[in-house]
Amino acid sequence: MFPKNSSLLKSTALIGSDWRAAQDGATISVHNPSTCEHLGDVPKMGAIEAKEAVDAASAALPAWRKQTAKARSAILYKWYQLLLTNSEELAKIMTAEQGKPLAEARGEVAYGASFLQWFAEEAKRGGGEIIPAVKDNTQVRVTREAAGVAAMITPWNFPIAMITRKLGPALACGCTAVIKPANLTPLSALAVIELGKQAGVPDGVINIITGDSNAIGNVWCADDRVRVLSFTGSTEVGAKLAALCAPTVKKLALELGGNAPFIVFEDADLALAAKQAILSKFRNAGQTCVCANRFYVQSSVYDEFLSLFKNEIAALQVGDGFAEGTTIGPLINQAAVEKAAAHVADARAKGATVLFGGERLEGHFFQPTLLADMQEDMLPSCEETFAPIAPVYRFDSEYEAIARANATPFGLAAYFCSRDLGRVMRVSAALEAGIIGVNEGIISTEVAPFGGVKQSGLGREGAQQGMDEYSEIKYTLIGYAGSA
């Protein structure tokens, strides 16, 4: 259960060397979405503290940037080890404030830790290159340098992994950071930063504040000392932040909304496809940016796949994240429940068939739901549902499936199932998405670049490419003095 007396639980925010409250003493309450239990309070900070956080990060930047890559790597690796050592405590804090089943929370802690391990290694590999010169007695050098202070705004659905996926490469490059976690799930983020301090991250290198999102974001977007803004969240908010950053021309790393298609072709292993569909759609109760949002199934196997998929959905168990056997936790709040209900109601009113579920439950819970006979004018077709609802559409040809899958302004993830190698190559090339899963429903890993195209964002997180967002490329042409 929730570790109420954990030393990792923080009720203050970190600026420089000090864990502190808001200047005016204001707080934000944190609640368990399963039980509505009050878990604690965190500071409700604003513009004043946002500037102070940048002051601290800016002051710490020169020394941290001058640290050797090996020294930064050692701190990140120790931090990684501390996350693993404290994984059970972190998982329980996350389940309490976010709601996901404890097994999933444990998985997220391991996933979040993997970014610290990966970028501890990448810190020592972030070198430059010597390019063959075009003139005699010259050398062309290309080097990578820390971009500067990085501002990070993270979401509630993965409160640990989204912080480490940003902080890992930023610190590896030599950047310092100011962080604003989601107000719905701040306790996990604060606990991770406490472990970072224990790992030896110097004062001011990481600063984390909770509070007024607009006030804090406005300060960081306007401050010229902040050279990178990394945001994970909705496309609407991401576009506003990009506009606010335009006057100071910051580097932007935006991981935004999705509307992922999941295509099942007639040559697919249907039993495997149904199991992978479950993993993609229902993880974290459907509250992931890369989860399948629209299922397109070829007509010749439509009924058979629906039967298999329905059986898999029926085996899911809704409940408190701490309860044994729970596979579907609560939605994050009442607004999420209302949106889920509205999507089902709209689809049903326009002719969809509810094959399983479709109803809200007591509190913030919603039944895992299977909708058949879907049409493109229904809400789940054009909006990110963010709930345990699987709408299934029928298609006839490969061309039709690709066209319908791409008919969205979003392009974060896409999935399809096929055993035809030629089709795998054709469809992978044709889908407009930054991440493709072929016969696989779980695609996230620290070793591969994560990010989208179109209105799903800018830049990539994780992998070698994750270092790009926090570094600047410098070219130096050196003319040799004198002659041999």
Side-chain angles (χ1 to χ4, degrees):
M1 300 298 288
F2 181 56
K4 293 182 179 180
N5 298 318
S6 169
S7 62
L8 298 182
L9 282 174
K10 309 298 291 187
S11 58
T12 49
L14 179 66
I15 299 176
S17 61
D18 300 324
W19 288 97
R20 44 182 277 200
Q23 285 198 0
D24 61 2
T27 61
I28 297 170
S29 295
V30 183
H31 294 88
N32 182 327
S34 288
T35 64
C36 295
E37 173 193 0
H38 176 251
L39 300 175
D41 300 294
V42 296
K44 186 177 182 180
M45 292 177 165
I48 293 174
E49 292 90 350
K51 180 183 179 300
E52 291 174 343
V54 177
D55 291 343
S58 184
L61 179 63
W64 181 248
R65 184 156 46 188
K66 288 180 181 178
Q67 281 272 20
T68 65
K70 186 175 182 179
R72 293 196 295 267
S73 172
I75 291 173
L76 286 171
Y77 193 76
K78 185 175 181 181
W79 196 0
Y80 151 73
Q81 293 175 310
L82 285 173
L83 257 67
L84 295 186
T85 299
N86 294 274
S87 61
E88 189 66 13
E89 208 163 339
L90 290 168
K92 288 178 178 179
I93 292 172
M94 189 191 312
T95 290
E97 68 171 349
Q98 201 278 333
K100 65 182 61 177
L102 189 57
E104 286 191 23
R106 292 178 181 130
E108 184 182 336
V109 174
Y111 178 50
S114 73
F115 288 106
L116 298 179
Q117 180 188 35
W118 174 267
F119 287 109
E121 297 162 349
E122 287 299 298
K124 297 178 286 187
R125 302 176 188 144
E129 58 182 325
I130 303 296
I131 297 176
V134 297
K135 295 196 304 182
D136 290 340
N137 297 320
T138 62
Q139 184 183 80
V140 176
R141 298 178 64 217
V142 178
T143 54
R144 285 180 178 269
E145 297 183 355
V149 176
M152 304 167 183
I153 302 174
T154 59
W156 53 262
N157 56 342
F158 290 91
I160 287 179
M162 296 303 97
I163 281 200
T164 56
R165 197 163 74 183
K166 298 177 191 299
L167 277 175
L171 270 60
C173 286
C175 295
T176 56
V178 292
I179 309 159
K180 164 65 176 67
N183 289 335
L184 290 168
T185 56
L187 301 178
S188 298
L190 292 168
V192 167
I193 301 308
E194 166 61 24
L195 290 175
K197 296 298 293 179
Q198 292 179 24
V201 176
D203 293 343
V205 170
I206 298 177
N207 306 271
I208 182 167
I209 62 174
T210 52
D212 187 323
S213 300
N214 288 331
I216 293 168
N218 286 340
V219 169
W220 290 350
C221 290
D223 196 318
D224 194 54
R225 296 172 297 172
V226 174
R227 299 312 311 146
V228 182
L229 177 76
S230 180
F231 168 75
T232 299
S234 72
T235 296
E236 179 183 12
V237 174
K240 291 178 180 177
L241 290 171
L244 290 171
C245 288
T248 52
V249 195
K250 302 185 193 310
K251 289 172 69 74
L252 294 174
L254 303 176
E255 198 266 281
L256 308 177
N259 190 359
F262 191 112
I263 306 169
V264 180
F265 289 103
E266 60 188 359
D267 60 88
D269 179 330
L270 296 183
L272 174 65
K275 291 183 183 299
Q276 295 302 319
I278 289 290
L279 294 176
S280 174
K281 172 72 258 185
F282 293 99
R283 184 168 60 107
N284 201 22
Q287 299 173 116
T288 86
C289 55
V290 293
C291 74
N293 203 64
R294 298 166 291 149
F295 290 85
Y296 294 101
V297 182
Q298 201 151 14
S299 294
S300 58
V301 294
Y302 185 84
D303 291 334
E304 184 179 355
F305 176 78
L306 277 180
S307 177
L308 291 167
F309 197 20
K310 180 180 177 180
N311 289 340
E312 294 285 347
I313 294 172
L316 298 173
Q317 185 170 324
V318 179
D320 186 287
F322 286 109
E324 186 175 351
T326 292
T327 50
I328 299 287
L331 297 183
I332 191 64
N333 56 23
Q334 193 59 36
V337 176
E338 296 295 338
K339 182 179 180 181
H343 274 218
V344 172
D346 180 82
R348 181 181 273 148
K350 293 174 180 175
T353 304
V354 179
L355 294 182
F356 190 87
E359 302 296 330
R360 69 177 75 193
L361 302 173
E362 186 177 354
H364 296 159
F365 293 93
F366 201 92
Q367 289 180 319
T369 298
L370 179 61
L371 301 175
D373 306 315
M374 292 293 297
Q375 301 297 325
E376 301 298 343
D377 63 341
M378 298 172 182
L379 279 180
S381 307
C382 53
E383 291 185 8
E384 191 173 22
T385 302
F386 242 59
I389 298 170
V392 185
Y393 307 72
R394 187 190 300 267
F395 75 89
D396 293 314
S397 70
E398 181 180 306
Y399 175 84
E400 178 193 353
I402 293 169
R404 292 172 71 182
N406 288 341
T408 170
F410 304 102
L412 183 54
Y415 308 82
F416 68 94
C417 295
S418 172
R419 288 181 286 191
D420 181 326
L421 181 59
R423 171 170 280 161
V424 167
M425 302 307 291
R426 288 192 307 272
V427 176
S428 296
L431 288 172
E432 297 172 350
I435 310 167
I436 308 290
V438 183
N439 301 316
E440 291 286 340
I442 299 292
I443 51 179
S444 299
T445 169
E446 76 278 11
V447 307
F450 188 103
V453 300
K454 300 193 285 190
Q455 291 187 33
S456 285
L458 299 169
R460 294 295 183 270
E461 293 185 327
Q464 294 175 333
Q465 293 83 356
M467 300 282 278
D468 294 343
E469 311 305 329
Y470 301 97
S471 58
E472 296 285 8
I473 304 298
K474 179 180 283 186
Y475 147 56
T476 305
L477 177 63
I478 301 173
Y480 299 161
S483 58

